Amino acid sequence: MTPTAPVPKPHVKTIATVCLSGTLDDKLVAAAHAGFDGIELFEPDLVASTSSPAEIRRRCQDLGLEIVLYQPFRDLDSTDPDQFARNLIRLDRKFDVMAELGVDLILVCSNASADAVADVDQLAAQLREAGDLASRRGTRIAYEALAWGREVDLWQQSWDAVRRADHPAVGLCLDSFHILSRSSTIDELAEVPGDKIFFLQLADAPHKDMDVLQWSRHYRLFPGEGAFDLVDFTASVLRAGYRGPLSLEVFNDVFRQSSPVRTAIDAVRSLGALEAGLDDALPRQRFDAAFVELSVTPTNLAVAESALSALGFTPSATHRSKRVTAWTQSAATILVTVTTDAPEDDSSAIAAIAFDAEDPTGFAASAEGLNVSALPRVVRPGEADLPAVAAPDGVSVFFVSTTSGGLDWRRDFDPVPGADGETGAGITGIDHVSVTAPFDRYDESVLFYRSVLGMRTDEVAEYPGPYGLVRSHLLRADPSGFGVALDGPLLRRGKWTPGVQTPQHVAFVTDDVIATLNALPPDAPILRIPANYYVDLRARLDLTDEFVESLREANVLYDRNAHGEYLHAYTTVIGSQVYFEIIERRGDYRGRPLADAPIRMAAHVAARRGKATTSG
Amino acid sequence: MTPTAPVPKPHVKTIATVCLSGTLDDKLVAAAHAGFDGIELFEPDLVASTSSPAEIRRRCQDLGLEIVLYQPFRDLDSTDPDQFARNLIRLDRKFDVMAELGVDLILVCSNASADAVADVDQLAAQLREAGDLASRRGTRIAYEALAWGREVDLWQQSWDAVRRADHPAVGLCLDSFHILSRSSTIDELAEVPGDKIFFLQLADAPHKDMDVLQWSRHYRLFPGEGAFDLVDFTASVLRAGYRGPLSLEVFNDVFRQSSPVRTAIDAVRSLGALEAGLDDALPRQRFDAAFVELSVTPTNLAVAESALSALGFTPSATHRSKRVTAWTQSAATILVTVTTDAPEDDSSAIAAIAFDAEDPTGFAASAEGLNVSALPRVVRPGEADLPAVAAPDGVSVFFVSTTSGGLDWRRDFDPVPGADGETGAGITGIDHVSVTAPFDRYDESVLFYRSVLGMRTDEVAEYPGPYGLVRSHLLRADPSGFGVALDGPLLRRGKWTPGVQTPQHVAFVTDDVIATLNALPPDAPILRIPANYYVDLRARLDLTDEFVESLREANVLYDRNAHGEYLHAYTTVIGSQVYFEIIERRGDYRGRPLADAPIRMAAHVAARRGKATTSG
């Protein structure tokens, strides 16, 4: 790579209308509201619109949106000269529309039909002829290799054709999905003159082992939400000299039916995070969980306090002006806040997670830069003014510091006399917090934790619950640090949903889970694990009868992999959706034993039904 | 194929617990309620259950369910002798569980892991050793080739291993998905002794171009709901001499989160339809649409009547005792029923479709045989007692005959004096009716029309609406006969659903759509199609300016394929969800031009918003 002049910043940010749900006007309003500079106009959105091209042009001008690309034009080249001639007429008619729209760039994608031209010189000659037409009409052509093109399906082939066409009005369109889905290298981009890259389309995607066309049409994601390295990709394109917009083109089944305003805000955030990544400016702070805040209704307070007490927690401090108590055990702190603002009498919820970092204001600044709204707070004189933002999963995220007085949450609390904060039952800290992301905002939630907190996905999985499949991400900023797990239904739930709708839990860590459990009082609300589980465990793994029996007696689930072991127990559900987990990791077992999740879920159902039977 | 003794009927019908949502007990109750004879116990359902194997055995006995199979046992064979020895111990422990359950057959599937045995003689020797163990425990092994097995992935390979194992306790398990997903032939089944086929698992699936494991785990369907020919497959297995249960094993994301009682009823119906197919007893009657019944609220009646009148319909008859009017034009009849039992003041709905056949009671009998509940009806003296059932899409299906007096719906109506029933605007009949199937009941709806009415899927497709992707089936009993189109959202809709939630429409047919439209009064509620559509149409297809202009003036959409042309226009939405289409087919254009659907949907949105603007 040769060094080039610095890239102008901030980049122009645009979005293809196909990314957003609704009518064309819904899409334009949403894109403008989110702060995009312009749009790629997806032809079917124009064709279905009741506004004329001239009206759309004016509407975009009024909204401050530039139309940077008209797309797509399919199947330009042809082995049949008559067909190619008809295709040029079709192209010319699109130039008429583009003139009315005031857009001078059209996306031509490689031919996926039976008459696609295989010979690169013939293809180049046809592109040159189209380029002549474009020049006469004052437009330009960005030629793109579809990953499923019949003859041209790699960007290198599209470049070969464009290079041979050697026409000022014919350049490349690079689309990250088409390139990264094929695992194509982009090293040769350094040989491509920057001004021959006419357009850059960005899309991320999860790994999928499926037909690439279906993968592309249904599962694309915004940069930072999937498994591709868009920072590296985009940096290569910019190093090659590309100076056009950073433009999003995402086909996604969920986004297609979600609020376009929300989706557009998520989309612009993904480009902000991408820019931060290009500048190496994503957060890299290490952090711990200062506290997790549990909000409970008055009727539920006693159950929550008794559960924490049974797990060895003690009240260590009380808030000076609010009904909040800090329950502490070693490095684990749970704030219990009484709320009267809950949907049900037995509601309990993880209301907040506080991240304890060296530079909390740095986190807050990067969140603001990503259009994450700060939460309004009422701060009384003398109280800590803690920066906080709302995560898409509904949890408030606080940025605090226990080393900087002004941002130390503890200054608002009075210590409970006599509380020593020592270990009660051996719990030493919080391993991770697990929350349920709303169906429409799952990918947005992943992006939030990755971009605002600099976390990375440690584990991505899918597991069967009794009432449907669940998808799951475990995110951490560093492999041994505090984690956030995002779970959510693979399909939006319908009416038949007898399980806990939006489970949340806090996973505590201990050095010896069986000793911890044995230290608990007999009425501790530990979830009973069915005997069948231990029979199967003994059949599956080479464990001694004594060890399996010790697990069974303590209601501990067990897993083992090549790196270590994972022993864990759960409480029953406190109120409507929250429970606790106690974890012991042996060796270097990362991630979570997700095969145990269905066991836990069925046991929670049984505990709930048993409770319903005994207490009505 | 050699003829064999007739197969005993009815077959024993069983279902794998993994097909159904809920806890194990939810599944057992649902299977028993639906009338299954037994279950395959899916091991994870047992492991997560709080009931012991002996308790599950008693529960099944109480419910009248036999446990016919324990499944699955994975990765039995191994290239590592120590590992194989451990696997036999694991198998022996499963035999302990099976003894408690009272089940004597276990499914062993081909090894998908790295230590799978490739050498067929070594594999056979290990199966033989497992067979010895099984014999000692009074059990048997059904060995199945997974479509993604590492060394054994075709049923022929599993048969080769079983044949060489040559052990009375080792036989085959055949699974239609694993076989048909690989497009394997089953011709060689004739060489397999019937008593070596220990078990038969049945699953259908839609065509998917994706990794076979993911296809299998997410998209299986009950027989008759997908694209495989299960009748042919099952007949071959029965001809080979198989005499065990017909058992369903379906992994499906939607069924996993839908009511298990409903799913089980749908499942048992699929086996009933399969049996009818084996007996060549599925309905084969030709039929027409006698009428489509539209229910409207009093406030909506004038709009509906004025729309029908504008389309050239005239009131031809009125019901003797109910507020129902028959509107007729040539062979098309719409009953308009006034209802006060609608969710909204402006509700209108397709309440019923009446199928006019030679033998309506034959249809009713076959529906009853498939557990489709007959609709209760109040019949007054002298009124026709028309058999009717409820389709899963919520529409009532009537079976009538215009050639048999007792089942002629018209006997309940008094003709309107002077009504001649002649053509008003050239509409000659009903081409198809399109209804929205509920998300959870889409596949059940497809099965309903295929099994109860003997219809076949003419066209299966997916198209983008402004508010999300839509899936679609067009079903007909014969290619030129009356059709039912089932549409539904590809994903369950969430809160952001500004479009018509459950559109329904009746598609009328005419010989000349432009003449028909020109014959309508100027205030006919024809949907305005945007000018952009015609600009694009002219660019896409080689049509004269004059022809495109005539389409534009009449608001007619146009498509052409290799077989013919399709011209069509729509009305605006009458009330909340119903509209009409007028179709002209030229040549042999089958199916529907689904690329026009997004245009129609966007135009409906525009018409609705325009109306909101002008009339409040």
Side-chain angles (χ1 to χ4, degrees):
Chain A
M1 310 283 172
T2 50
T4 55
V7 176
K9 284 179 291 194
H11 302 277
V12 169
K13 296 187 187 72
T14 60
I15 185 168
T17 52
V18 74
C19 304
L20 301 171
S21 185
T23 62
L24 179 57
D25 202 65
D26 293 337
K27 296 167 189 236
L28 297 179
V29 168
H33 176 80
F36 278 100
D37 303 303
I39 55 148
E40 304 176 27
L41 185 54
F42 184 59
E43 181 173 84
D45 286 323
L46 168 76
V47 172
S49 171
T50 50
S51 302
S52 71
E55 286 165 346
I56 293 167
R57 176 187 199 160
R58 279 195 300 276
R59 181 69 166 146
C60 286
Q61 280 169 349
D62 291 347
L63 290 167
L65 293 171
E66 187 185 354
I67 308 177
V68 294
L69 181 75
Y70 187 81
Q71 63 115 326
F73 189 89
R74 299 188 193 280
D75 304 342
L76 169 68
D77 54 289
S78 178
T79 50
D80 171 1
D82 293 341
Q83 183 62 48
F84 177 62
R86 285 194 295 272
N87 293 346
L88 282 185
I89 293 171
R90 177 162 60 97
L91 182 63
D92 199 37
R93 286 178 175 158
K94 296 301 171 190
F95 289 151
D96 294 339
V97 174
M98 288 166 62
E100 286 186 65
L101 287 166
V103 54
D104 67 357
L105 186 64
I106 188 168
L107 171 69
V108 171
C109 50
S110 62
N111 194 332
S113 73
D115 68 338
V117 171
D119 178 77
V120 66
D121 286 314
Q122 188 185 1
L123 177 59
Q126 294 192 354
L127 284 176
R128 198 179 309 122
E129 208 171 325
D132 284 341
L133 177 62
S135 288
R136 286 198 298 276
R137 301 300 304 266
T139 63
R140 297 183 306 149
I141 290 169
Y143 181 63
E144 172 188 74
L146 292 180
W148 54 90
R150 193 171 175 106
E151 300 294 344
V152 172
D153 58 1
L154 296 171
W155 80 266
Q156 292 91 339
Q157 294 170 299
S158 62
W159 168 235
D160 195 22
V162 166
R163 190 177 56 79
R164 289 172 196 241
D166 191 22
H167 194 288
V170 179
L172 273 185
C173 175
L174 298 175
D175 176 309
S176 63
F177 180 87
H178 290 301
I179 295 169
L180 298 174
S181 67
R182 302 289 307 270
S183 305
S184 287
T185 165
I186 47 171
D187 294 347
E188 310 96 308
L189 260 189
E191 301 157 24
V192 177
D195 60 6
K196 290 305 278 185
I197 307 174
F198 283 7
F199 208 75
L200 172 63
Q201 293 179 313
L202 297 170
D204 202 342
H207 286 305
K208 291 263 176 193
D209 187 2
M210 67 188 298
D211 171 60
V212 69
L213 188 152
Q214 296 300 325
W215 186 16
S216 172
R217 293 267 171 90
H218 295 275
Y219 297 104
R220 287 187 179 209
L221 293 169
F222 295 119
E225 295 179 345
F228 294 158
D229 186 344
L230 269 296
V231 172
D232 181 65
F233 176 85
T234 308
S236 297
V237 178
L238 294 174
R239 268 198 305 271
Y242 174 71
R243 295 293 175 270
L246 301 183
S247 197
L248 298 168
E249 195 202 26
V250 168
F251 304 82
N252 180 290
D253 290 359
V254 177
F255 302 162
R256 271 184 191 274
Q257 56 169 230
S258 305
S259 155
V261 171
R262 287 224 83 97
T263 307
I265 291 170
D266 182 38
V268 90
R269 184 177 304 147
S270 88
L271 285 181
L274 177 66
E275 282 185 313
L278 291 168
D279 294 343
D280 202 14
L282 278 178
R284 284 211 183 160
Q285 294 191 62
R286 287 193 58 136
F287 50 76
D288 291 314
F291 63 78
V292 173
E293 182 180 5
L294 198 64
S295 75
V296 298
T297 52
T299 49
N300 225 15
L301 178 63
V303 180
E305 289 189 335
S306 117
L308 286 168
S309 176
L311 294 181
F313 283 78
T314 47
S316 63
T318 54
H319 196 279
R320 291 210 191 98
S321 60
K322 299 174 192 158
R323 212 174 150 190
V324 183
T325 305
W327 289 74
T328 302
Q329 181 168 187
S330 190
T333 296
I334 302 289
L335 296 194
V336 178
T337 300
V338 179
T339 177
T340 52
D341 191 25
E344 302 279 345
D345 268 1
D346 73 339
S347 284
S348 57
I350 292 178
I353 306 173
F355 292 85
D356 180 4
E358 292 247 321
D359 176 21
T361 50
F363 273 128
S366 87
E368 195 184 339
L370 293 169
N371 286 321
V372 175
S373 312
L375 282 173
R377 281 176 50 78
V378 179
V379 182
R380 296 175 194 227
E383 285 188 0
D385 184 10
L386 307 177
V389 296
D393 49 51
V395 171
S396 299
V397 167
F398 285 82
F399 304 109
V400 306
S401 174
T402 45
T403 56
S404 136
L407 295 171
D408 188 346
W409 63 276
R410 295 171 302 191
R411 60 182 286 182
D412 300 344
F413 284 75
D414 289 324
V416 171
D420 58 4
E422 283 308 296
T423 297
I427 284 171
T428 58
I430 298 176
D431 183 88
H432 66 273
V433 169
S434 172
V435 293
T436 300
F439 180 78
D440 285 315
R441 307 185 67 185
Y442 189 93
D443 301 297
E444 182 187 341
S445 299
V446 171
L447 178 63
F448 172 88
Y449 289 102
R450 286 180 177 174
S451 58
V452 173
L453 285 145
M455 300 174 94
R456 282 174 294 273
T457 295
D458 239 26
E459 177 184 68
V460 54
E462 198 177 285
Y463 59 86
Y467 306 113
L469 295 173
V470 180
R471 59 192 293 215
S472 175
H473 271 256
L474 176 62
L475 299 121
R476 293 187 195 272
D478 69 274
S480 60
F482 174 67
V484 172
L486 287 171
D487 284 17
L490 191 67
L491 292 180
R492 192 196 304 277
R493 294 210 189 284
K495 285 181 183 161
W496 198 73
T497 46
V500 173
Q501 293 299 297
T502 51
Q504 299 179 319
H505 84 270
V506 183
F508 300 117
V509 69
T510 170
D511 292 333
D512 184 338
V513 71
I514 292 180
T516 292
L517 288 162
N518 287 340
L520 305 188
D523 63 346
I526 296 300
L527 182 68
R528 215 174 144 211
I529 302 302
N532 295 345
Y533 170 80
Y534 297 98
V535 174
D536 178 65
L537 185 66
R538 187 166 159 275
R540 278 193 290 123
L541 301 177
D542 207 20
L543 303 170
T544 66
D545 287 350
E546 292 68 32
F547 180 62
V548 172
E549 184 55 22
S550 70
L551 297 174
R552 196 190 63 72
E553 282 178 0
N555 288 295
V556 167
L557 296 141
Y558 175 87
D559 192 36
R560 174 174 86 193
N561 65 19
H563 308 289
E565 296 161 286
Y566 190 109
L567 296 84
H568 59 137
Y570 293 98
T571 67
T572 55
V573 177
I574 312 301
S576 53
Q577 61 180 358
V578 175
Y579 57 93
F580 300 108
E581 183 181 7
I582 308 172
I583 294 172
E584 174 191 348
R585 292 179 194 273
R586 297 181 181 172
D588 193 31
Y589 189 114
R590 305 308 316 158
R592 295 162 300 157
L594 291 176
D596 290 348
I599 310 293
R600 192 268 307 157
M601 295 164 96
H604 270 145
V605 175
R608 200 166 59 244
R609 291 187 182 174
K611 195 182 291 175
T613 308
T614 51
S615 68
Chain B
M1 309 283 175
T2 50
T4 55
V7 177
K9 285 179 291 193
H11 303 277
V12 169
K13 296 186 187 71
T14 60
I15 185 167
T17 53
V18 74
C19 303
L20 301 170
S21 185
T23 63
L24 179 57
D25 202 65
D26 293 336
K27 296 167 189 237
L28 298 179
V29 168
H33 176 81
F36 278 100
D37 303 304
I39 55 147
E40 303 176 27
L41 186 53
F42 184 60
E43 182 174 82
D45 286 323
L46 168 78
V47 171
S49 172
T50 51
S51 303
S52 71
E55 285 166 346
I56 293 167
R57 176 187 199 159
R58 279 195 300 277
R59 180 67 167 148
C60 286
Q61 280 169 349
D62 291 347
L63 290 167
L65 293 171
E66 187 186 354
I67 308 177
V68 293
L69 181 75
Y70 186 81
Q71 64 115 326
F73 188 89
R74 299 188 194 280
D75 304 343
L76 169 68
D77 53 289
S78 178
T79 51
D80 171 0
D82 292 341
Q83 183 62 48
F84 177 62
R86 284 194 295 273
N87 293 345
L88 282 184
I89 293 170
R90 177 162 59 95
L91 182 63
D92 199 38
R93 287 179 174 158
K94 295 303 172 190
F95 289 151
D96 293 341
V97 173
M98 289 165 62
E100 286 188 66
L101 286 167
V103 54
D104 67 356
L105 185 64
I106 188 169
L107 171 69
V108 170
C109 48
S110 62
N111 194 331
S113 74
D115 69 338
V117 171
D119 178 78
V120 66
D121 286 315
Q122 188 185 0
L123 177 59
Q126 293 192 354
L127 284 175
R128 198 179 307 122
E129 208 170 326
D132 284 342
L133 176 61
S135 287
R136 287 198 298 277
R137 302 298 305 267
T139 62
R140 297 183 307 149
I141 290 168
Y143 180 63
E144 172 187 75
L146 292 179
W148 54 90
R150 194 174 175 102
E151 301 292 345
V152 172
D153 59 0
L154 296 171
W155 80 267
Q156 293 91 338
Q157 295 171 299
S158 62
W159 168 236
D160 195 22
V162 165
R163 190 177 57 80
R164 290 172 196 240
D166 191 22
H167 194 288
V170 178
L172 273 186
C173 175
L174 298 175
D175 177 308
S176 63
F177 180 87
H178 291 301
I179 294 169
L180 298 174
S181 66
R182 302 289 307 268
S183 304
S184 288
T185 165
I186 48 171
D187 295 345
E188 310 96 309
L189 260 190
E191 300 157 23
V192 178
D195 60 4
K196 292 305 279 185
I197 308 173
F198 282 8
F199 208 75
L200 172 63
Q201 292 179 314
L202 297 170
D204 203 340
H207 286 306
K208 292 263 177 194
D209 188 2
M210 66 187 298
D211 171 61
V212 68
L213 189 151
Q214 296 301 326
W215 185 17
S216 172
R217 294 266 171 90
H218 295 275
Y219 296 104
R220 287 187 180 209
L221 292 169
F222 295 119
E225 295 178 347
F228 294 159
D229 186 345
L230 269 297
V231 172
D232 180 65
F233 176 85
T234 308
S236 297
V237 177
L238 295 174
R239 268 197 305 271
Y242 174 71
R243 295 293 175 269
L246 301 183
S247 197
L248 298 168
E249 194 202 27
V250 168
F251 304 82
N252 179 290
D253 290 359
V254 177
F255 301 163
R256 273 184 191 274
Q257 56 169 230
S258 306
S259 155
V261 170
R262 286 225 83 98
T263 307
I265 291 171
D266 181 38
V268 89
R269 183 176 305 147
S270 88
L271 285 181
L274 177 66
E275 281 185 312
L278 292 168
D279 294 343
D280 202 14
L282 279 177
R284 285 211 183 159
Q285 294 190 64
R286 287 193 56 136
F287 50 75
D288 290 315
F291 62 78
V292 173
E293 182 181 3
L294 197 65
S295 75
V296 298
T297 52
T299 49
N300 225 15
L301 177 63
V303 180
E305 289 188 335
S306 118
L308 286 169
S309 176
L311 295 181
F313 284 77
T314 46
S316 63
T318 53
H319 196 279
R320 291 212 190 97
S321 60
K322 298 174 193 159
R323 211 174 151 190
V324 183
T325 305
W327 289 73
T328 301
Q329 181 167 188
S330 190
T333 296
I334 302 289
L335 296 194
V336 177
T337 300
V338 178
T339 178
T340 51
D341 191 26
E344 302 280 346
D345 268 0
D346 73 338
S347 284
S348 56
I350 293 178
I353 306 173
F355 292 85
D356 180 5
E358 292 247 321
D359 176 21
T361 51
F363 273 129
S366 86
E368 195 184 339
L370 293 169
N371 286 321
V372 175
S373 311
L375 282 173
R377 280 176 51 76
V378 180
V379 181
R380 296 174 194 226
E383 284 188 1
D385 183 11
L386 307 177
V389 297
D393 49 52
V395 171
S396 299
V397 167
F398 285 82
F399 305 109
V400 306
S401 173
T402 44
T403 55
S404 136
L407 295 170
D408 188 345
W409 63 276
R410 296 171 301 190
R411 61 182 286 182
D412 300 346
F413 283 74
D414 287 324
V416 170
D420 59 2
E422 283 308 295
T423 296
I427 284 170
T428 57
I430 298 176
D431 183 88
H432 67 272
V433 169
S434 172
V435 293
T436 300
F439 180 78
D440 285 316
R441 306 186 69 186
Y442 190 92
D443 301 296
E444 181 186 342
S445 299
V446 171
L447 177 62
F448 173 87
Y449 289 102
R450 287 180 176 175
S451 59
V452 172
L453 285 145
M455 300 174 96
R456 284 174 294 274
T457 295
D458 239 27
E459 176 183 70
V460 54
E462 201 177 282
Y463 58 86
Y467 306 113
L469 295 173
V470 179
R471 59 192 293 217
S472 175
H473 272 256
L474 177 63
L475 300 120
R476 294 187 194 273
D478 69 275
S480 60
F482 174 68
V484 173
L486 286 171
D487 284 18
L490 192 67
L491 292 179
R492 192 195 305 277
R493 294 211 189 283
K495 284 180 186 162
W496 199 74
T497 47
V500 173
Q501 293 299 297
T502 50
Q504 299 180 318
H505 84 270
V506 183
F508 300 117
V509 70
T510 170
D511 291 332
D512 183 339
V513 71
I514 292 180
T516 292
L517 288 161
N518 287 340
L520 305 187
D523 63 345
I526 296 300
L527 181 68
R528 202 163 160 223
I529 302 303
N532 295 345
Y533 169 81
Y534 297 99
V535 174
D536 178 65
L537 185 67
R538 188 166 159 276
R540 278 193 288 124
L541 301 177
D542 207 21
L543 301 170
T544 67
D545 287 351
E546 293 67 33
F547 181 61
V548 172
E549 183 57 20
S550 70
L551 296 173
R552 195 191 63 73
E553 282 179 359
N555 288 294
V556 168
L557 298 141
Y558 176 87
D559 192 37
R560 174 175 84 193
N561 65 19
H563 308 291
E565 296 162 285
Y566 191 109
L567 296 84
H568 59 139
Y570 294 98
T571 67
T572 55
V573 177
I574 312 300
S576 53
Q577 61 180 358
V578 175
Y579 58 93
F580 300 108
E581 183 182 7
I582 308 172
I583 295 172
E584 174 190 347
R585 292 179 195 272
R586 297 181 181 172
D588 194 31
Y589 189 114
R590 305 308 315 158
R592 295 163 300 158
L594 290 175
D596 291 348
I599 310 293
R600 192 268 307 157
M601 295 164 95
H604 269 145
V605 174
R608 200 166 58 245
R609 291 187 181 173
K611 196 182 292 175
T613 307
T614 50
S615 68

